[in-house]
Amino acid sequence: MQYRAEVTIELKPGMLDPEGTTIRRALEHLGYHTNDLRTSKRYIIDLEEESSEMAEKKVDEMCQKLIANPIIHNYTIEMREA
């Protein structure tokens, strides 16, 4: 069966986010004031597996081995049938 995983990678609390800081400052120069701004990345992965559980397990392995750095990132996986 075909599945689509949406993986969101975020910096852990306390980690510096220079891109978010730069965007927040630029928004302030444009007159938009925010309390905080953090960046994240989203990956969409299509794959074929026998079950949703197996697909999620495979995507989790991908995140642990390559996509996310477990020292500085948290990630979430949302699975659905494609």
Side-chain angles (χ1 to χ4, degrees), residues 9-12 63-75:
I9 309 290
E10 299 175 321
L11 288 168
K12 288 184 175 182
C63 290
Q64 290 179 31
K65 290 182 179 181
L66 180 69
I67 298 172
N69 178 344
I71 296 171
I72 63 170
H73 294 129
N74 288 325
Y75 62 91

Side-chain angles (χ1 to χ4, degrees), residues 8-50:
T8 302
I9 309 290
E10 299 175 321
L11 288 168
K12 288 184 175 182
M15 298 304 300
L16 294 178
D17 184 357
E19 185 177 7
T21 301
T22 300
I23 294 169
R24 183 173 180 231
R25 286 183 186 152
L27 287 171
E28 287 179 358
H29 289 303
L30 294 172
Y32 300 103
H33 300 285
T34 61
N35 293 332
D36 193 21
L37 189 145
R38 310 249 330 141
T39 59
S40 64
K41 292 183 181 180
R42 190 176 97 179
Y43 296 87
I44 298 171
I45 304 168
D46 292 331
L47 67 158
E48 190 168 324
E49 276 298 330
E50 295 177 20

